[in-house]
Structure formats: C-alpha cells, structure tokens
Amino acid sequence: PTFIRRFSSNRSTISSYTTEHSSPKGHHGHHGHDAHKPHSHSHPARTATVTDEEIADLAHKHQHSLSLADLVKHGRPPLSAEALFSSANFTLSLLPIRLAHRIQALRNLPFIVVSNPNISKIYNNYIHSLSTLLPWKHRTISDLDTEIRFTSVLAELVATHQDTIPILAKGFLECRRYISPVEVTRFLDTHLRTRIGTRLIAEQHIALHYSSLPHFDPSASPTPCPEHPSYIGVIDTALSPSAVVDSCAGFVADICELKYGIRPQWVIDGEPSTTFAFVPMHLEYIATELLKNAFRATVENTHNQGKREPVVITIAPEPPDAGPPRVTLEPPAVDKGAFKSDAIKPLDDNAPGVTIRIRDRGGGIAPEILPNIWSYSFTTFVEDEEDLMMPGGLNAISTGGSSIAGLGYGLPLSRAYAEYFGGGIAVQSLYGWGTDVYLRLKGVGKIK
Ligand code: ADP
Ligand code: MG
C-alpha cells in the first residue's frame, strides 16, 4: 500500500492526465476493414493518431520477454544522467511493441465483443497510449527536459490503464453469450500477463526517475516521498513478506468487518524475519487476494459451530542449498486446458524461492467447485440484494479491489503474478475442514 501511494502522489505532479480521451465515438471501424485510416481521438490537446499500418508493423516485431535482470541492469539509484537516459531509451524500445501486440489481440476477438462499450474502452486506451508513444519512436532521449517529458508520458500511460481489470471483467460478463469461458480465459491470461510486464517496465522507469533526478539536477522537484535505500526502482531488495502480509491482512480484515461485521484473526509464523528481493506491488496484490479468500471462507464457514480459528500464515525462507539465482523470464501464457484440473498441482521444487503458506479453517473447497477455481470470472460469491442495489449494480466491479469477492479473478490473476518471475501457487483443499494455499515466489537474487 505505501508503495502504491508513492506513485499516486507523483502522478498528478508530472502528468496532465484526463479521462476525456475515452470518447464514445472513438471506436468506429477499428476492426481492420479500413486499413490506413487513422484512429483519431477527441482529446482537444492531442492530434496524435495511429494507423493500422503502424500497428501491424509493431505487432510484427518480437515482444521482448522481460527479466528481473532487465529491471536492475541500469544500476542502483541514484542513477547518473546517462544511466537514466539509457533506462528511458530501453523503456521506449519495448513499450510500443507491447501495446501493438495487445491491440492486435483485442482486434482478433469477435467483433460483437470488441463493440461492447467496456471492451472498446480498453481498446481505445491502448490506441491512445500507443499514439502518445509513437511521436517518440525515432528519438533518442539524451537530455533532461526530454527525459522529464517522456516520464510524464509514462505516468499518463500507467494512469490510463489503472482500472483495466474491473472494466474488462464487466465487458466480458456482458458478452458471455457471444464468447465461451475458455476463449475469455485464454485471452485474459495472455492479456493480463503482458499487462503485468508493461506496467512494470513503465513504473520501473518512473521510479528510477524519481529516485535519481534530484541527485544530479538540484532544480528538479524533490522526490515526493523519502527514498528507501533498499529499493531499485519498483524492486525492494530487502522485502519482508511478513510485513507485507501483515499489512494486507489488516486491510482485508477491515473489508470483512464492513461486509460481515466480523474481523477474522490471523497469525504469522515460520520465519517472519525473512527478506528477499521482489516487487512489493506484486506481493501486495497476491497476498490481498489470497487473504480475501481465506477470510471469506473463515467467516462463511458454517461447520465450525461459530468458533473461528485464525488464519495461519507461515513464511518459509528459501532453502540454503537453493543454488545460484537463475535469470527468470516473463513466461509465455500457457494454455492450461482452460485452467481445469491443476488445482492441486504441486509446486515445482526445482524452483526454490520464498514460500508463504496461507492456511484457513474455512471448510475447504467442494470437489465440484475445485476444477473451476482457476477460470477468470468463476466465483461462488453471491452479492446480497443490498450490494446489488448500490449504484453501478455489480458491487465487486464498481468497487474494484475493495470488495471481499465476486469478480472471480483473484486466483487466476494471483497465479499470473506469481508465475511472472518463475514462482507459482498451489491450492490444497481439505473439504469439510479448510484450505492451504502455497505461494512460491522467486526472488531476484543478490543484487550488487
Ligand atoms: P472470487 O474470490 O472473486 O470468487 P477467486 O478467483 O479468488 O474469485 O476464487 C474463486 C473461488 O474459489 C471462490 O469463489 C471460492 O469458491 C473458491 N475459493 C478460493 N479460495 C478459497 C478458500 N480459501 N476457501 C474456500 N473456497 C475458496
Ligand atoms: Mg477471491
């Protein structure tokens, strides 16, 4: 949470972000029939456009698989001006290709799906973001003013794509008559995995910018938050999983208290002093989702005669004989047969890392439910009438991350985050008793 706040406070200062670009007229004829026709936007201050040719050219190029080594290769902040420019140019070389690949994939969805207002809003966001980057295509960033402007373009890009998940979820829910759950899961898995990398690339440069610029440009505005010596951009080289899990548990307990009037208890054991190098935002996302599931099950369990046992979170450090860290790459999205039947697939023990086990006594998962838990939008959560009466209808969608359950994205997206750098998640249910979730995260290894 602290880290996310750090970005939110930066954003307003360096970008003139508006939401005007999501014009309802913006999505006409984007399905490939009108080659060469530019996609224009109604944003008054922007004239940038993207042609189908430009998209096709970029989508043809190979999408670089991001590695943790890529994120730390520019060195520890404060970066020199040269290293900061090199980070900016590296970022610029990757992002347009990634955006074009996503645009192409969106275009390959059935036309009736892309025409849905929510899906086309996401499509337009991509077109818009690509249009803000294309003017930079043939430039090399080699002076401070340019770097500052480029960073504000990145900040706007991150802000534009902030609410993608609830919007896509709503869109696909509205389109469920036109596209099968298997196709949706296949699309979303690739889309959301690529999005993780794209955000990481942009956020890494923004963070390096903020932690470096004041050191060689005294006239630059000071870093909005005090610098943290263990950070390299968005990576915390001394991340404490117990501290992150504990703060996420507090947040999820607040949500539970609001929703059910009950505040579940939790205990952290194992080796809480463990630290490793990882992206805090990713661990925060996963821990929040897994704890929501554990707390919800704890509160809703009817087999425990009203006696609620605490959720036990065990932190197991990486084994000492784990060997040298490997360079882990963004994995290609794999077709897991629509995500069925691998609910209890054991974690790969040849891929050591920090393991966090979240154990609840919430009654476990019924055998007929188990095969579906990794599908995007599968949920057993039913909104109360009260929630449905809220403006916006679907509570989980309109309130985004602050509802206890309902989107059915928690497990599959957490797994996408965990697998991103070579970790994983395994769920072991003991039906009638409770659930163990094993989260394995591979750190970055030692960084000079
Ligand atoms: P959501 O929480 O929005 O329903 P998730 O992907 O997080 O979506 O979980 C999917 C489903 O898996 C849940 O609706 C629930 O039925 C089941 N589930 C997940 N974790 C647990 C758990 N710890 N105990 C019992 N059921 C669980
Ligand atoms: Mg959930």
Side-chain angles (χ1 to χ4, degrees):
T2 45
F3 200 69
I4 292 166
R5 240 177 281 127
R6 201 169 123 188
F7 277 126
S8 330
S9 59
N10 289 349
R11 195 174 296 134
S12 56
T13 60
I14 57 169
S15 83
S16 54
Y17 174 61
T18 70
T19 48
E20 284 162 85
H21 61 262
S22 48
S23 126
K25 289 193 272 111
H27 58 83
H28 285 314
H30 60 233
H31 212 244
H33 310 298
D34 47 353
H36 311 295
K37 192 180 163 212
H39 296 270
S40 57
H41 288 273
S42 58
H43 196 292
R46 281 191 202 92
T47 49
T49 56
V50 188
T51 64
D52 282 352
E53 250 180 346
E54 284 169 312
I55 295 167
D57 273 359
L58 285 163
H60 230 81
K61 292 190 178 148
H62 173 71
Q63 180 178 302
H64 173 87
S65 282
L66 188 66
S67 74
L68 281 165
D70 285 331
L71 296 177
V72 298
K73 73 177 178 187
H74 302 288
R76 226 178 237 289
L79 264 49
S80 66
E82 282 62 40
L84 189 62
F85 301 153
S86 136
S87 163
N89 288 314
F90 177 65
T91 305
L92 179 58
S93 73
L94 302 181
L95 291 181
I97 296 173
R98 286 184 164 257
L99 297 178
H101 276 261
R102 293 300 87 224
I103 292 170
Q104 203 76 295
L106 278 156
R107 287 178 166 193
N108 288 337
L109 289 170
F111 183 64
I112 193 159
V113 175
V114 212
S115 317
N116 172 278
N118 291 297
I119 311 281
S120 77
K121 186 184 161 98
I122 299 305
Y123 177 86
N124 286 326
N125 284 347
Y126 275 91
I127 294 280
H128 169 73
S129 295
L130 185 58
S131 79
T132 63
L133 284 173
L134 283 184
W136 296 80
K137 206 167 65 175
H138 300 296
R139 295 179 70 164
T140 304
I141 297 157
S142 55
D143 67 89
L144 224 50
D145 283 347
T146 314
E147 194 277 333
I148 289 170
R149 272 188 293 120
F150 178 66
T151 303
S152 77
V153 170
L154 292 181
E156 197 214 298
L157 185 142
V158 169
T160 299
H161 296 266
Q162 194 69 39
D163 301 322
T164 294
I165 288 161
I167 296 169
L168 276 180
K170 193 158 191 281
F172 281 114
L173 208 58
E174 288 165 357
C175 291
R176 63 184 179 273
R177 276 183 292 153
Y178 311 118
I179 182 166
S180 74
V182 177
E183 283 172 281
V184 172
T185 287
R186 200 170 285 147
F187 171 83
L188 279 175
D189 195 51
T190 313
H191 187 84
L192 298 177
R193 279 170 199 254
T194 312
R195 178 175 179 269
I196 292 170
T198 306
R199 290 181 79 77
L200 212 50
I201 292 165
E203 288 177 332
Q204 181 68 355
H205 182 74
I206 296 168
L208 290 174
H209 169 96
Y210 273 104
S211 49
S212 305
L213 192 61
H215 291 270
F216 60 85
D217 179 18
S219 70
S221 56
T223 315
C225 290
E227 282 161 57
H228 203 302
S230 68
Y231 277 85
I232 299 181
V234 295
I235 294 171
D236 184 351
T237 58
L239 181 69
S240 158
S242 66
V244 172
V245 167
D246 198 49
S247 96
C248 294
F251 169 68
V252 177
D254 289 346
I255 299 177
C256 271
E257 224 173 341
L258 280 170
K259 163 89 186 143
Y260 301 103
I262 296 165
R263 194 175 175 84
Q265 305 293 304
W266 69 95
V267 184
I268 299 180
D269 66 13
E271 278 190 38
S273 61
T274 303
T275 62
F276 72 131
F278 200 69
V279 183
M281 291 181 292
H282 289 188
L283 179 55
E284 282 165 12
Y285 178 83
I286 301 168
T288 303
E289 289 305 320
L290 298 181
L291 288 164
K292 281 181 184 175
N293 290 348
F295 282 11
R296 174 189 161 210
T298 303
V299 174
E300 290 186 355
N301 185 9
T302 50
H303 303 288
N304 57 2
Q305 281 93 37
K307 195 175 155 288
R308 278 184 200 94
E309 290 188 25
V311 169
V312 180
I313 301 135
T314 306
I315 314 276
E318 181 160 44
D321 53 1
R326 271 148 285 181
V327 175
T328 46
L329 288 175
E330 162 182 19
V334 273
D335 189 352
K336 296 191 163 106
F339 287 54
K340 294 204 180 235
S341 344
D342 53 355
I344 56 168
K345 179 189 80 178
L347 287 173
D348 173 12
D349 256 323
N350 293 322
V354 171
T355 308
I356 302 169
R357 183 184 63 200
I358 301 181
R359 168 170 285 181
D360 69 64
R361 274 216 54 191
I365 305 170
E368 66 274 17
I369 302 242
L370 206 52
N372 301 311
I373 60 173
W374 299 105
S375 291
Y376 286 92
S377 95
F378 174 83
T379 182
T380 54
F381 188 74
V382 185
E383 311 249 359
D384 328 324
E385 268 171 56
E386 206 183 301
D387 291 337
L388 285 168
M389 304 281 273
M390 301 257 287
L394 285 154
N395 184 42
I397 285 171
S398 49
T399 56
S402 61
S403 59
I404 191 77
L407 280 188
Y409 280 44
L411 284 176
L413 192 50
S414 292
R415 184 160 74 178
Y417 273 106
E419 288 181 351
Y420 199 84
F421 290 122
I425 295 185
V427 171
Q428 176 72 62
S429 153
L430 191 53
Y431 187 47
W433 184 266
T435 305
D436 281 355
V437 180
Y438 292 85
L439 166 64
R440 167 85 41 83
L441 297 174
K442 294 234 280 170
V444 189
K446 296 265 174 296
I447 300 165
K448 286 187 275 121

PDB file of all heavy atoms in Angstrom, residues 417-431:
ATOM      1  N   TYR A 417       0.618 -13.365 -11.523  1.00  0.00           N
ATOM      2  CA  TYR A 417       1.659 -12.561 -10.868  1.00  0.00           C
ATOM      3  C   TYR A 417       2.767 -13.451 -10.312  1.00  0.00           C
ATOM      4  O   TYR A 417       3.948 -13.151 -10.448  1.00  0.00           O
ATOM      5  CB  TYR A 417       1.066 -11.729  -9.729  1.00  0.00           C
ATOM      6  CG  TYR A 417       0.508 -10.396 -10.171  1.00  0.00           C
ATOM      7  CD1 TYR A 417      -0.858 -10.164 -10.245  1.00  0.00           C
ATOM      8  CD2 TYR A 417       1.373  -9.348 -10.501  1.00  0.00           C
ATOM      9  CE1 TYR A 417      -1.369  -8.936 -10.648  1.00  0.00           C
ATOM     10  CE2 TYR A 417       0.874  -8.106 -10.895  1.00  0.00           C
ATOM     11  CZ  TYR A 417      -0.500  -7.912 -10.965  1.00  0.00           C
ATOM     12  OH  TYR A 417      -0.985  -6.705 -11.362  1.00  0.00           O
ATOM     13  N   ALA A 418       2.370 -14.559  -9.648  1.00  0.00           N
ATOM     14  CA  ALA A 418       3.376 -15.424  -9.025  1.00  0.00           C
ATOM     15  C   ALA A 418       4.257 -16.083 -10.078  1.00  0.00           C
ATOM     16  O   ALA A 418       5.473 -16.196  -9.914  1.00  0.00           O
ATOM     17  CB  ALA A 418       2.691 -16.489  -8.176  1.00  0.00           C
ATOM     18  N   GLU A 419       3.658 -16.504 -11.181  1.00  0.00           N
ATOM     19  CA  GLU A 419       4.429 -17.197 -12.224  1.00  0.00           C
ATOM     20  C   GLU A 419       5.276 -16.234 -13.038  1.00  0.00           C
ATOM     21  O   GLU A 419       6.162 -16.654 -13.766  1.00  0.00           O
ATOM     22  CB  GLU A 419       3.481 -17.975 -13.158  1.00  0.00           C
ATOM     23  CG  GLU A 419       2.882 -19.203 -12.481  1.00  0.00           C
ATOM     24  CD  GLU A 419       1.962 -20.008 -13.399  1.00  0.00           C
ATOM     25  OE1 GLU A 419       1.654 -19.535 -14.516  1.00  0.00           O
ATOM     26  OE2 GLU A 419       1.553 -21.106 -12.983  1.00  0.00           O
ATOM     27  N   TYR A 420       4.969 -14.949 -12.903  1.00  0.00           N
ATOM     28  CA  TYR A 420       5.625 -13.976 -13.774  1.00  0.00           C
ATOM     29  C   TYR A 420       7.139 -14.107 -13.732  1.00  0.00           C
ATOM     30  O   TYR A 420       7.805 -14.088 -14.750  1.00  0.00           O
ATOM     31  CB  TYR A 420       5.197 -12.541 -13.420  1.00  0.00           C
ATOM     32  CG  TYR A 420       5.488 -11.627 -14.558  1.00  0.00           C
ATOM     33  CD1 TYR A 420       4.595 -11.499 -15.604  1.00  0.00           C
ATOM     34  CD2 TYR A 420       6.704 -10.974 -14.647  1.00  0.00           C
ATOM     35  CE1 TYR A 420       4.884 -10.738 -16.699  1.00  0.00           C
ATOM     36  CE2 TYR A 420       7.009 -10.202 -15.734  1.00  0.00           C
ATOM     37  CZ  TYR A 420       6.096 -10.082 -16.755  1.00  0.00           C
ATOM     38  OH  TYR A 420       6.406  -9.341 -17.844  1.00  0.00           O
ATOM     39  N   PHE A 421       7.698 -14.225 -12.523  1.00  0.00           N
ATOM     40  CA  PHE A 421       9.150 -14.373 -12.436  1.00  0.00           C
ATOM     41  C   PHE A 421       9.541 -15.757 -11.954  1.00  0.00           C
ATOM     42  O   PHE A 421      10.539 -15.934 -11.280  1.00  0.00           O
ATOM     43  CB  PHE A 421       9.739 -13.269 -11.555  1.00  0.00           C
ATOM     44  CG  PHE A 421       9.664 -11.916 -12.203  1.00  0.00           C
ATOM     45  CD1 PHE A 421       9.007 -10.870 -11.589  1.00  0.00           C
ATOM     46  CD2 PHE A 421      10.241 -11.685 -13.449  1.00  0.00           C
ATOM     47  CE1 PHE A 421       8.938  -9.612 -12.190  1.00  0.00           C
ATOM     48  CE2 PHE A 421      10.177 -10.444 -14.063  1.00  0.00           C
ATOM     49  CZ  PHE A 421       9.523  -9.406 -13.436  1.00  0.00           C
ATOM     50  N   GLY A 422       8.723 -16.747 -12.278  1.00  0.00           N
ATOM     51  CA  GLY A 422       9.140 -18.123 -12.036  1.00  0.00           C
ATOM     52  C   GLY A 422       8.610 -18.770 -10.768  1.00  0.00           C
ATOM     53  O   GLY A 422       9.032 -19.859 -10.416  1.00  0.00           O
ATOM     54  N   GLY A 423       7.691 -18.129 -10.065  1.00  0.00           N
ATOM     55  CA  GLY A 423       7.092 -18.741  -8.876  1.00  0.00           C
ATOM     56  C   GLY A 423       5.829 -19.501  -9.240  1.00  0.00           C
ATOM     57  O   GLY A 423       5.648 -19.916 -10.386  1.00  0.00           O
ATOM     58  N   GLY A 424       4.963 -19.690  -8.264  1.00  0.00           N
ATOM     59  CA  GLY A 424       3.716 -20.409  -8.545  1.00  0.00           C
ATOM     60  C   GLY A 424       2.778 -20.387  -7.347  1.00  0.00           C
ATOM     61  O   GLY A 424       3.135 -19.904  -6.270  1.00  0.00           O
ATOM     62  N   ILE A 425       1.574 -20.894  -7.575  1.00  0.00           N
ATOM     63  CA  ILE A 425       0.592 -21.032  -6.490  1.00  0.00           C
ATOM     64  C   ILE A 425      -0.029 -22.418  -6.597  1.00  0.00           C
ATOM     65  O   ILE A 425      -0.374 -22.862  -7.692  1.00  0.00           O
ATOM     66  CB  ILE A 425      -0.545 -19.986  -6.596  1.00  0.00           C
ATOM     67  CG1 ILE A 425       0.008 -18.575  -6.416  1.00  0.00           C
ATOM     68  CG2 ILE A 425      -1.638 -20.248  -5.549  1.00  0.00           C
ATOM     69  CD1 ILE A 425      -1.050 -17.493  -6.383  1.00  0.00           C
ATOM     70  N   ALA A 426      -0.153 -23.105  -5.470  1.00  0.00           N
ATOM     71  CA  ALA A 426      -0.872 -24.378  -5.450  1.00  0.00           C
ATOM     72  C   ALA A 426      -1.916 -24.318  -4.341  1.00  0.00           C
ATOM     73  O   ALA A 426      -1.659 -23.781  -3.258  1.00  0.00           O
ATOM     74  CB  ALA A 426       0.098 -25.530  -5.207  1.00  0.00           C
ATOM     75  N   VAL A 427      -3.096 -24.830  -4.640  1.00  0.00           N
ATOM     76  CA  VAL A 427      -4.184 -24.834  -3.667  1.00  0.00           C
ATOM     77  C   VAL A 427      -4.427 -26.281  -3.240  1.00  0.00           C
ATOM     78  O   VAL A 427      -4.566 -27.161  -4.085  1.00  0.00           O
ATOM     79  CB  VAL A 427      -5.466 -24.239  -4.287  1.00  0.00           C
ATOM     80  CG1 VAL A 427      -6.663 -24.453  -3.361  1.00  0.00           C
ATOM     81  CG2 VAL A 427      -5.283 -22.753  -4.567  1.00  0.00           C
ATOM     82  N   GLN A 428      -4.450 -26.517  -1.946  1.00  0.00           N
ATOM     83  CA  GLN A 428      -4.744 -27.852  -1.434  1.00  0.00           C
ATOM     84  C   GLN A 428      -5.952 -27.733  -0.505  1.00  0.00           C
ATOM     85  O   GLN A 428      -5.872 -27.134   0.560  1.00  0.00           O
ATOM     86  CB  GLN A 428      -3.527 -28.379  -0.658  1.00  0.00           C
ATOM     87  CG  GLN A 428      -3.740 -29.711   0.004  1.00  0.00           C
ATOM     88  CD  GLN A 428      -3.790 -30.849  -1.003  1.00  0.00           C
ATOM     89  OE1 GLN A 428      -2.826 -31.111  -1.706  1.00  0.00           O
ATOM     90  NE2 GLN A 428      -4.933 -31.503  -1.094  1.00  0.00           N
ATOM     91  N   SER A 429      -7.077 -28.288  -0.961  1.00  0.00           N
ATOM     92  CA  SER A 429      -8.292 -28.177  -0.144  1.00  0.00           C
ATOM     93  C   SER A 429      -8.524 -29.467   0.616  1.00  0.00           C
ATOM     94  O   SER A 429      -8.348 -30.559   0.083  1.00  0.00           O
ATOM     95  CB  SER A 429      -9.474 -27.874  -1.065  1.00  0.00           C
ATOM     96  OG  SER A 429     -10.678 -28.348  -0.496  1.00  0.00           O
ATOM     97  N   LEU A 430      -8.918 -29.329   1.852  1.00  0.00           N
ATOM     98  CA  LEU A 430      -9.334 -30.478   2.643  1.00  0.00           C
ATOM     99  C   LEU A 430     -10.806 -30.238   2.924  1.00  0.00           C
ATOM    100  O   LEU A 430     -11.158 -29.499   3.856  1.00  0.00           O
ATOM    101  CB  LEU A 430      -8.497 -30.536   3.925  1.00  0.00           C
ATOM    102  CG  LEU A 430      -8.585 -31.777   4.784  1.00  0.00           C
ATOM    103  CD1 LEU A 430      -8.315 -33.029   3.951  1.00  0.00           C
ATOM    104  CD2 LEU A 430      -7.546 -31.686   5.904  1.00  0.00           C
ATOM    105  N   TYR A 431     -11.626 -30.790   2.051  1.00  0.00           N
ATOM    106  CA  TYR A 431     -13.039 -30.424   2.072  1.00  0.00           C
ATOM    107  C   TYR A 431     -13.680 -30.788   3.412  1.00  0.00           C
ATOM    108  O   TYR A 431     -13.493 -31.900   3.911  1.00  0.00           O
ATOM    109  CB  TYR A 431     -13.781 -31.091   0.912  1.00  0.00           C
ATOM    110  CG  TYR A 431     -15.200 -30.599   0.790  1.00  0.00           C
ATOM    111  CD1 TYR A 431     -15.486 -29.231   0.825  1.00  0.00           C
ATOM    112  CD2 TYR A 431     -16.261 -31.482   0.645  1.00  0.00           C
ATOM    113  CE1 TYR A 431     -16.783 -28.764   0.731  1.00  0.00           C
ATOM    114  CE2 TYR A 431     -17.570 -31.027   0.539  1.00  0.00           C
ATOM    115  CZ  TYR A 431     -17.815 -29.662   0.593  1.00  0.00           C
ATOM    116  OH  TYR A 431     -19.102 -29.201   0.506  1.00  0.00           O
TER     117      TYR A 431
END
